[in-house]
Amino acid sequence: MHIKVLIPCVDKSLDQVKELASFLQIDSDAIFLDQNGQDSKQSFGLNGHTIEVIMTIKRGVSMARNMLIKNAQCDVGLFIDDDCVLAPGYVAAIEKAYSEFPKAEAIRFNTIRTYWNPVNAHATKDRKAKFSDLSSFGMWGLSFRPEAFLSKGIFFDEHLGMPNYLYNGEDSVFLFDLCKKSEEVYLSSFYICEVKETKKSTWFEQFDKRYFVTKGYVYTHLYGINWPFALARMYLKYHKDYKMKYPLVRKYAALGHAMYKEHFYEEPKDD
């Protein structure tokens, strides 16, 4: 089985990518998608494996992941970020999981994250997945068959995620679409990587207009006409953190809802 680890990164030199590949403990072929203002390709060897570096002038987390899907050219790709240290034996674990679930088009592996807002919704056994099993995760630890994604048009919404105005929610929308388009998504209890990052979030600034407009857009995609109920549930759970009254939260989210319906992606006016 040909496995490639797929890593988006930003503004790296080739030497930095080489250092990063060693830090991540890559023990298979891999592709780095580097948003560094160039359009070129390079490669180097690491412990008998080929590490490709695709450089692009384009910017955007969703764009980068879509390029990785389109360029994977392997049996199974594994998404991680550039701060995820891979577990020893990850290649054998992927091979084992796909042999146990031969129809699988995607398998989500457990990850360890010990910094701010840790993920604790881990799979305790190998089984079929539904969206609620995946919605609390980021993309690291998701493996997939590129051929299946390409044939079914499973891609990220490039209007979502930094540096767009609609700056988050791209993972939730992608995983929701994945579960709609594929009935062969599974969970593995193997811990495939540990997220080492401890710095401040690269996208979150504060619970402001932009945050709630984005929520309105994302919730419309996820919940359709029930998006206001999802918003109210979120507000009841987190209102102490928001420091914004619900009518204003609802107003901003309604702008995001309208943006989704009208296919509009720039900052909206309040009136």
Side-chain angles (χ1 to χ4, degrees):
M1 177 178 284
H2 188 194
I3 296 166
K4 289 185 182 179
V5 180
L6 308 174
I7 313 104
C9 59
V10 179
D11 293 331
K12 304 292 185 188
S13 67
L14 185 60
D15 285 342
Q16 288 174 321
V17 172
K18 290 179 178 179
E19 292 178 4
L20 188 56
S22 295
F23 169 75
L24 301 179
Q25 297 184 17
I26 293 173
D27 192 26
S28 63
D29 289 354
I31 304 177
F32 286 84
L33 196 290
D34 190 4
Q35 303 161 72
N36 66 356
Q38 304 178 50
D39 270 321
S40 61
K41 295 182 179 181
Q42 291 181 298
S43 64
F44 60 91
L46 179 67
N47 299 325
H49 305 295
T50 300
I51 312 298
E52 303 169 61
V53 185
I54 301 175
M55 293 167 274
T56 179
I57 61 173
K58 298 178 181 179
R59 295 274 172 168
V61 60
S62 294
M63 174 282 303
R65 288 175 175 151
N66 282 341
M67 284 189 68
L68 286 166
I69 292 171
K70 294 172 183 176
N71 285 276
Q73 296 181 342
C74 57
D75 297 318
V76 174
L78 173 69
F79 276 124
I80 65 169
D81 286 346
D82 63 2
D83 53 7
C84 298
V85 176
L86 290 156
Y90 76 86
V91 171
I94 292 173
E95 293 174 340
K96 180 175 181 291
Y98 281 88
S99 67
E100 291 178 353
F101 301 115
K103 294 183 179 180
E105 295 178 338
I107 299 177
R108 165 74 205 198
F109 290 86
N110 282 340
T111 61
I112 299 172
R113 188 173 80 178
T114 55
Y115 66 102
W116 172 79
N117 191 25
V119 170
N120 54 22
H122 293 145
T124 57
K125 63 179 181 178
D126 301 349
R127 61 178 176 84
K128 210 162 194 177
K130 53 186 182 296
F131 175 62
S132 60
D133 296 318
L134 305 173
S135 57
S136 63
F137 289 105
M139 289 310 300
W140 13 269
L142 181 76
S143 68
F144 65 97
R145 294 192 183 275
E147 183 179 0
F149 277 25
L150 293 172
S151 65
K152 294 187 175 183
I154 301 173
F155 296 108
F156 286 83
D157 181 348
E158 295 190 15
H159 299 109
L160 288 174
M162 293 294 288
N164 297 302
Y165 179 78
L166 300 166
Y167 68 130
N168 66 62
E170 70 279 1
D171 293 349
S172 295
V173 167
F174 176 84
L175 293 168
F176 178 82
D177 290 346
L178 169 60
C179 290
K180 280 183 62 178
K181 294 180 179 181
S182 174
E183 297 180 354
E184 301 296 338
V185 182
Y186 295 82
L187 300 175
S188 169
S189 57
F190 181 83
Y191 284 83
I192 205 159
C193 67
E194 180 177 357
V195 186
K196 294 290 189 180
E197 187 54 82
T198 58
K199 67 185 179 184
K200 182 180 177 182
S201 170
T202 57
W203 62 265
F204 179 77
E205 295 181 357
Q206 57 183 331
F207 297 113
D208 55 7
K209 172 187 174 181
R210 185 183 180 190
Y211 179 87
F212 292 112
V213 169
T214 302
K215 285 296 182 186
Y217 181 100
V218 171
Y219 280 8
T220 300
H221 186 97
L222 299 182
Y223 304 109
I225 62 173
N226 293 317
W227 73 267
F229 300 103
L231 181 75
R233 183 172 64 244
M234 178 192 72
Y235 188 83
L236 286 172
K237 187 175 182 179
Y238 299 111
H239 67 279
K240 291 182 180 179
D241 298 325
Y242 291 157
K243 299 178 182 179
M244 186 182 291
K245 298 297 185 182
Y246 182 71
L248 189 55
V249 168
R250 178 67 167 76
K251 175 184 176 181
Y252 290 152
L255 293 174
H257 168 74
M259 291 171 67
Y260 183 89
K261 291 295 186 180
E262 297 169 9
H263 305 287
F264 181 76
Y265 309 108
E266 305 300 325
E267 180 176 2
K269 296 181 180 179
D270 287 357
D271 51 15

